[in-house]
Structures are given as structure tokens and as C-alpha cells.
Amino acid sequence: MRETTVGVGGAAESTDMVLNIGPQHPSTHGVLRLRLVLDGERIQHAEPVIGYMHRGAEKLFEARDYRQIIMLANRHDWLSAFSNELGVVMGVERMLGMEVPERAVWTRTLLAELNRVLNHLMFLGSYPLELGGITPVFYAFREREELQNVMEEISGGRMHYMFNRVGGLKEDLPAGWLGRARQAVADVRSRMDVFDNLVLGNEIFRGRTRGVGVLAPETVHAYGVSGPIARASGVDFDLRRDEPYLAYADLASTLKVVTREEGDCLARFECLLEQSHNSLDLADACLDRIEQLPPGPINQRLPKVLKAPEGTTYSWTENPLGINGYYLVSKGEKTPYRLKLRSASYNNIQALTELLPGTLVADMVAILGSLFFVVGDIDK
């Protein structure tokens, strides 16, 4: 027989309460549940409960050939579709020992940085919204539309581009596209100070985020946290600089790895914003280089049935939300024997178990929103 003691009157103050935050959908960034144990207004224990959106992508990879898995790969982080595709095709190309045409390398770099800005703009708008500031999200979506228009023109997709191919890209750039892309980048850059003035200049926003949810560098390393969240805690690591891929080695003078030391919610937002500025600069540098390239192929001709040789490889990229990796095991067939996905959000969200205990319930949303995750990227 189990007995439950319920505190009454003054005794209730020392009674722990279990509070479930979620799972709920409409219009969240997916479905996440937090199981919190509270002592009054303070959180004692926090457990992220995941899996509500699990689609078994890793198992589905094993039943699709190397062309088809690109479609599955670009969907787990639906705000970083182009970057998701990159890791897969780079892994297969490495297994094949395939050289990608220079035009494809620079175009991939350009589109990866445009995709990075698109991703960051979503969080630059939605994070203030979660703290009660509705205006920034309208500005964020205006800028997103400008960039999405050029991404849609080149690929045909607004969110799931399906533009990468093993050996390069689907097709060459449309006539006049470089000029339209350059104009879109200039337009977005000219209005990015809205977030500096409207959000960072808002004393209520700063009051809700400064000194809140401080993530120590030791915790970053222990949980494998990466991306802007890790760099906001002083962990100076960025694959684009430290293990360059695509054309990033040639962009070293333009690439700026943004870091902060505070590790709080405000620092994470500042890193995201400053990184968006730098990605626009990188996009301009890529546009300059592509205009100087002579005409040439943008992909390699592939056999009708594409088979990767037997072996293993690991390809990782600096995705907008952090490190994204694919561990590919091939048995020489046209489908992967195993394709393990290491997603950024999956590791980043685990830090909540360290971040939330000891904080107030009122700060929970501020901390949760500052971790910049996509639930599909957690559940895979």
C-alpha cells in the first residue's frame, strides 16, 4: 500500500511539486516536454523528455540510395536544410575520392552562409517573442523573405532545397541570379541594426537575459554543446576555421568566430546576431569570387547506380546551430549500411539538466529559448 502525504497550510511550502511543461504543438518549434521538480518558485530538477517527433531517419537511411537519403537528411533541422545536405554529400564524396568542381565549392559555401542567416533570423525574431516582445519577429520574417526568395529561385524549394548532389549541385545558377542575391544580402544588412537597437537596446530584454542561465565552459565540454551556444561561454571552436571545408580556408580573412565570456542568455543572443552580420560578409565574399570564376561544370557526372566503396568515414560541418556530423558505414552497396547522425540540437538541449536547477520558473522560458534548438534535430 502506497501512502501520499499532502502538505496543508504552512507545511505545503516545503512540498516539492512536479510540473510538466509540454508536450504541446500548435506553432511551437516542435514538441518538447520538460519535467520540472519545483520547490516553490525555484526549479530543483529538470529533465528534458524527447522523442515525440522521432521519425527513425537513421533507419530509413539504410533503405534509400545515396541520392534519396539527401531528402531525408535535409529535414531533421528544418531551418538548416542546405547545411544538413552538405554533410551527407561530403561524406559520400570522401568515400568515392571525388573532386568537386571549384564552381560548386564556392556556390555551396555561399548557399550555406545564406542558410545560416535564415536560421539565425528565425531565432533573432522568435526569442524576443518568447519574452513578450512581439515586434522583432515581424522584422525577422521580412528579412527572411528576401533571402528565401533567392534561395527558392535557385533551388525551387523554400525550406527543403534538395539542391546538393553527390559531386556538386543540381544545376548552375540562373541568369542574373548573382546580382539579385547580392541585392538581397545588401538589403538585409542595411536593416540588421533593427535587432541591435530594438532588442539589445531594450532594457527589459537585457534585464530578463543578463546573468540568467549561465553555462560554464566545463558544462559545454561535458555535454558536447557546440555552435553559438558554446562560443557564448568562451569555447572558441568553429569547424569553418579549425578544420576548414568547402572554401572556408580561402575566406579566413573574412571569417570571424564570434565569442563571449559571460555564457548567459544575453551572450548567446549577441553571438547569434554578430554571427549573422559576419555570414552576410562571407556571402558577399563568395559572390565576388563566383563572379571571377571562368565558366565550368557545377557537378560531376555520376553512374546510373551509385555505390560507395566498402569502408567508413565521418563528415562534420559547422551547421547554424552547432556541429552536425554523419558517420557513414558502407558495405559497397548502393545504400548505406549505417548512417549515424550527430545533430547539434540533441547535445545542446541536454545542458538544460545543468542550467535549469536553481533558477526561477520565471526564467525558465528565457533559458529554454536561448538554447536555439529545433526539435526535429533532437528527435531525428
Side-chain angles (χ1 to χ4, degrees):
M1 181 177 177
R2 181 178 296 173
E3 291 185 3
T4 304
T5 304
V6 179
V8 180
E13 294 177 5
S14 62
T15 302
D16 293 342
M17 180 173 73
V18 177
L19 181 66
N20 280 297
I21 308 294
Q24 69 265 358
H25 192 37
S27 288
T28 61
H29 292 298
V31 185
L32 175 71
R33 174 182 160 213
L34 284 178
R35 185 180 180 275
L36 307 179
V37 178
L38 307 181
D39 180 8
E41 286 292 309
R42 205 163 287 279
I43 298 170
Q44 282 191 322
H45 177 75
E47 178 191 357
V49 183
I50 65 172
Y52 293 95
M53 292 189 67
H54 179 61
R55 291 160 290 176
E58 290 181 351
K59 203 65 187 168
L60 290 171
F61 287 149
E62 299 170 15
R64 307 287 189 278
D65 68 32
Y66 289 107
R67 293 178 175 91
Q68 295 169 325
I69 60 175
I70 299 171
M71 181 276 294
L72 288 169
N74 76 16
R75 281 162 164 73
H76 56 86
D77 175 0
W78 46 78
L79 297 177
S80 311
F82 188 85
S83 303
N84 296 342
E85 298 171 11
L86 263 180
V88 170
V89 295
M90 286 169 57
V92 180
E93 287 160 4
R94 187 179 299 167
M95 293 279 279
L96 292 166
M98 181 179 287
E99 190 77 24
V100 178
E102 187 180 16
R103 192 172 185 81
V105 170
W106 280 96
T107 306
R108 279 178 173 179
T109 311
L110 166 63
L111 297 177
E113 291 306 313
L114 292 179
N115 191 196
R116 193 180 308 277
V117 180
L118 277 169
N119 174 290
H120 290 355
L121 280 169
M122 174 63 81
F123 292 106
L124 291 172
S126 68
Y127 184 46
L129 180 64
E130 289 159 4
L131 297 179
I134 193 171
T135 311
V137 76
F138 297 118
Y139 289 103
F141 269 81
R142 178 182 66 180
E143 311 315 331
R144 276 176 57 84
E145 283 301 312
E146 284 243 24
L147 295 176
Q148 279 194 300
N149 285 341
V150 295
M151 295 291 279
E152 184 178 9
E153 181 186 355
I154 195 174
S155 67
R158 282 180 62 79
M159 287 188 72
H160 302 299
Y161 306 110
M162 276 300 294
F163 199 55
N164 277 289
R165 296 291 186 273
V166 176
L169 293 167
K170 177 186 172 187
E171 55 200 10
D172 209 342
L173 312 176
W177 184 86
L178 287 174
R180 290 188 287 277
R182 190 181 291 279
Q183 185 61 51
V185 169
D187 289 345
V188 171
R189 180 188 286 107
S190 70
R191 296 191 291 256
M192 285 295 285
D193 62 340
V194 164
F195 297 100
D196 290 290
N197 301 330
L198 189 65
V199 183
L200 287 180
N202 185 295
E203 61 184 72
I204 299 173
F205 179 83
R206 298 184 77 87
R208 290 289 306 275
T209 55
R210 188 194 283 116
V212 175
V214 176
L215 183 64
E218 300 77 31
T219 309
V220 168
H221 293 301
Y223 283 85
V225 175
S226 59
I229 303 171
R231 292 192 285 273
S233 295
V235 179
D236 188 5
F237 181 69
D238 190 313
L239 283 174
R240 296 174 298 170
R241 179 199 63 196
D242 300 325
E243 284 200 22
Y245 58 99
L246 296 181
Y248 288 114
D250 296 322
L251 292 167
S253 59
T254 308
L255 176 63
K256 179 185 177 185
V257 179
V258 182
T259 60
R260 293 288 187 277
E261 296 298 325
E262 297 81 2
D264 57 8
C265 295
L266 182 60
R268 292 190 277 274
F269 187 87
E270 287 176 344
C271 276
L272 210 67
L273 179 56
E274 197 172 331
Q275 192 168 285
S276 301
H277 286 290
N278 185 240
S279 287
L280 292 170
D281 295 338
L282 288 167
D284 268 339
C286 290
L287 286 163
D288 292 341
R289 182 60 186 268
I290 294 169
E291 286 180 343
Q292 296 167 4
L293 291 176
I298 202 156
N299 51 37
Q300 295 276 25
R301 291 185 65 87
L302 298 176
K304 191 171 182 180
V305 177
L306 180 64
K307 294 183 178 181
E310 191 169 342
T312 64
T313 191
Y314 184 71
S315 61
W316 56 347
T317 54
E318 186 68 44
N319 270 29
L321 297 181
I323 293 172
N324 188 80
Y326 293 99
Y327 179 63
L328 172 62
V329 181
S330 172
K331 295 288 187 181
E333 302 296 327
K334 64 178 182 179
T335 61
Y337 177 75
R338 182 82 170 89
L339 186 57
K340 174 74 174 71
L341 166 60
R342 188 265 190 222
S343 61
S345 300
Y346 181 76
N347 283 69
N348 292 353
I349 202 69
Q350 294 179 86
L352 283 171
T353 58
E354 297 276 351
L355 270 179
L356 289 177
T359 63
L360 295 169
V361 177
D363 291 329
M364 184 268 299
V365 172
I367 297 169
L368 184 64
S370 73
L371 287 190
F372 311 127
F373 59 88
V374 170
V375 177
D377 202 38
I378 301 170
D379 291 346
K380 306 184 249 184

